[in-house]
Amino acid sequence: MGEAAEDKYTKDGTTDIRGNPAVKKGTGNWRACPYILANECCERLAYYGMSTNLVNYMKERLNQGNTTASNNVTNWSGTCYIMPLLGAFLADAYLGRYWTIASFMIVYISGLTLLTMTASVKGLKPSCDHGVCDPTNAQTAVFFVALYLIALGTGGIKPCVSSFGADQFDESDESEKKRKSSFFNWFYFSINIGALVASSVLVWIQDNVGWGWGFGIPAVAMAIAVVSFFLGTALYRHQKPGGSPLTRIVQVVVASFRKSGVKVPADKSLLYEISEKESAIQGSRKLEHTDKFKFLDKAAVATQDDKMKDPVDPWRLCTVTQVEELKSVVRILPIWASGIIFSTVYGQMSTMFVLQGDTLDPHMGPHFKIPAASLSIFDTISVIVWVPIYDRIIVPVARKLTGNERGFTQLTRMGIGLVISIFSMLAAGILEVVRLRIIARDNLYDDDGYLPMSIFWQVPQYFIIGAAEVFTFIGQLEFFYDQAPDAMRSLLSAISLTTVALGNYLSTLLVTIVTHVTTKNGKLGWIPDNLNRGHLDYFFWLLAVLSLVNFIVYLWIAKWYTYKKTADGDFESQ
């Protein structure tokens, strides 16, 4: 009877909405996920629907120049990737993921509603005459208030949704653990379905029907996302917030330095840990001691002074679990850093690939032309094609070969994606070599028109990046969730998102350095305004070499990495 009662509830510490232990049969698992996946799909549709064409809105309606509009979009986009740190901190420390998502969704939909009003309501909408608009300072200010409300909203949600979805699967149950791996695949699939609709249908509506409809539809999509999320409330499992993770990290560092002269006992069972089954950190399972970063173990050495104090001073004595939390974060950071160059390669789709595509023939038939920027739709299609192939074909085959229930370990999966990304740069470089040969053959160096070469020759490089995403980006989602301490999962998800921002910054830095070095002595350089006289292929080779070096370093990091081990004996290495 006791075992039956025990099996009735989840064993990973999750609760229902009322704070009671979560009943296995009535909560979580795949039954709760459709509401979360639908929420993510609609939220991404809303985000990409209003952001993909934002630079053109600023140029047309706010009468901004190329540089100003471009900088405004980049600054806003950067804010969207900084805000997850705030949302993650609140989720892990105080609110929990459910209430963080619920709160920031209200901010999000308020921003989208206000944005729609700035494009459609008289007085808020800039007045235009013969295609030239003249916005007032107040109209511009309201527009930016709406924009940054959206940044705050999407940032608060972004690090929590994937973790909240994964919370629906009990890690102590082998069958549910296997399903959780599949969840991350379909989560990324949902993102790309939303992005596909946004980058095709909504961009067309904004260009051909109007901005009121173009921003209004994302607002409606976000309203559907809100409804979808709340509909699943009764089914969700919740991880309890564990208090400020930053405070706990600082406590370990301070306690370690305060005890720098103390010797760590050879018998690690003598290190301080509370005797109860649950850890001292609410919502977190106990972690077993690991051997790396031994200096931090000093924080868990109980001296005579510590034993005399009741209650324990956490700035002098920390539990093994608290010390292992910090060790987990430190171990993850090199893996995190290896994702930056991958994100740089990923970022070429919106920069160098577009510049390359601008010179190629965009015609589809006699009347229709596809803009170079729209070719990123093939990356989205690639992801949508590859996710089911990976989940339904590659994983079962790999499972038989490796004996691993998820097909590959997360580190192997991410490594495969890093290798595939090298081939996307090689494909782009080879296409550039062929393009330059056509220019030399026909003497088209100063021709402003399209080259006699179809833009669809770019499809392979977009498609390869899509395949790499399925391995690396989804692998990252899963890895950062699994390897993060229980009470830091949102924060680690937020940190993983910063690789995208840092990848873009690195791309900017590389272009700046390359331009500076290659334009010395009056030379045109690799990336001149007239690409027909440049050598964009050299830039792609540079990224391929950097990606290869990054992969070699990654292999060393992956070999060095020690997987997290909970006190119930579960190695989270799958």
Side-chain angles (χ1 to χ4, degrees), residues 512-530:
T512 306
I513 293 170
V514 161
T515 303
H516 177 72
V517 172
T518 61
T519 54
K520 285 181 177 176
N521 304 321
K523 291 179 182 173
L524 283 171
W526 291 2
I527 315 168
D529 288 339
N530 178 5

Side-chain angles (χ1 to χ4, degrees), residues 15-18 26-28 31-32 35-36 98-99 102 105 164 168 226-238:
T15 65
D16 61 20
I17 189 69
R18 295 179 187 86
T27 62
R31 70 174 70 80
Y35 302 99
I36 296 169
Y98 175 85
W99 290 110
M105 277 196 307
F164 187 62
Q168 307 311 310
V226 172
V227 171
S228 171
F229 183 75
F230 285 125
L231 279 175
T233 297
L235 298 173
Y236 297 145
R237 295 174 184 172
H238 306 259

Side-chain angles (χ1 to χ4, degrees), residues 70-89:
S70 179
N71 285 343
N72 279 331
V73 171
T74 343
N75 292 340
W76 173 78
S77 184
T79 308
C80 289
Y81 281 96
I82 294 298
M83 282 298 148
L85 294 170
L86 172 65
F89 176 77

Side-chain angles (χ1 to χ4, degrees), residues 211-222:
W211 291 100
W213 281 99
F215 288 152
I217 293 171
V220 171
M222 193 60 213

Side-chain angles (χ1 to χ4, degrees), residues 512-569:
T512 306
I513 293 170
V514 161
T515 303
H516 177 72
V517 172
T518 61
T519 54
K520 285 181 177 176
N521 304 321
K523 291 179 182 173
L524 283 171
W526 291 2
I527 315 168
D529 288 339
N530 178 5
L531 281 183
N532 292 354
R533 289 191 173 276
H535 261 295
L536 191 56
D537 53 331
Y538 292 173
F539 186 71
F540 291 135
W541 303 142
L542 173 66
L543 283 176
V545 170
L546 287 175
S547 297
L548 179 61
V549 172
N550 183 55
F551 173 67
I552 292 166
V553 174
Y554 175 82
L555 286 178
W556 179 77
I557 294 167
K559 192 175 180 184
W560 164 87
Y561 187 81
T562 305
Y563 283 100
K564 182 180 85 174
K565 190 170 190 260
T566 55
D568 55 17

Side-chain angles (χ1 to χ4, degrees), residues 291-514:
D291 288 331
K292 289 191 173 79
F293 312 114
K294 292 180 180 178
F295 176 78
L296 297 174
D297 289 339
K298 291 177 185 288
V301 177
T303 63
Q304 283 302 118
D305 288 347
D306 293 325
K307 289 171 184 173
M308 290 166 66
K309 287 186 179 178
D310 190 31
V312 168
D313 177 3
W315 294 94
R316 279 197 61 84
L317 181 63
C318 304
T319 63
V320 169
T321 296
Q322 192 175 338
V323 172
E324 288 301 320
E325 269 196 337
L326 177 53
K327 286 186 183 181
S328 293
V329 174
V330 175
R331 281 197 303 267
I332 285 170
L333 289 178
I335 303 288
W336 164 82
S338 68
I340 295 172
I341 286 181
F342 180 85
S343 293
T344 302
V345 168
Y346 175 78
Q348 300 314 306
M349 287 193 297
S350 57
T351 52
M352 296 307 166
F353 284 14
V354 176
L355 293 177
Q356 185 186 49
D358 285 338
T359 67
L360 304 175
D361 184 1
H363 288 93
M364 287 176 66
H367 304 297
F368 186 74
K369 291 197 294 188
I370 183 167
S374 294
L375 248 71
S376 62
I377 202 167
F378 288 101
D379 164 71
T380 309
I381 291 169
S382 174
V383 171
I384 291 168
V385 168
W386 274 104
V387 164
I389 290 173
Y390 182 85
D391 200 61
R392 300 298 181 204
I393 299 171
I394 295 175
V395 168
V397 171
R399 193 179 288 146
K400 287 177 184 174
L401 295 174
T402 64
N404 187 302
E405 63 179 25
R406 295 181 184 180
F408 304 106
T409 64
Q410 295 148 356
L411 289 173
T412 303
R413 180 177 185 171
M414 289 189 284
I416 292 169
L418 294 181
V419 172
I420 294 171
S421 71
I422 298 171
F423 287 96
S424 69
M425 289 298 97
L426 294 177
I430 291 166
L431 177 65
E432 185 62 14
V433 168
V434 173
R435 194 185 75 83
L436 291 173
R437 282 181 181 172
I438 290 171
I439 290 163
R441 183 192 69 195
D442 298 342
N443 195 24
L444 299 171
Y445 291 106
D446 297 309
D447 193 324
D448 289 338
Y450 300 121
L451 300 179
M453 183 180 191
S454 172
I455 197 170
F456 288 100
W457 283 108
Q458 281 195 307
V459 170
Q461 62 209 51
Y462 282 99
F463 208 81
I464 294 168
I465 285 187
E469 280 179 67
V470 169
F471 284 88
T472 296
F473 276 157
I474 302 177
Q476 276 181 351
L477 273 177
E478 192 175 354
F479 176 81
F480 278 88
Y481 178 87
D482 269 5
Q483 295 305 307
D486 291 350
M488 287 188 182
R489 280 174 164 162
S490 298
L491 190 63
L492 266 292
S493 291
I495 289 171
S496 76
L497 290 168
T498 59
T499 59
V500 178
L502 292 172
N504 284 327
Y505 296 148
L506 178 59
S507 183
T508 304
L509 180 64
L510 285 174
V511 170
T512 306
I513 293 170
V514 161

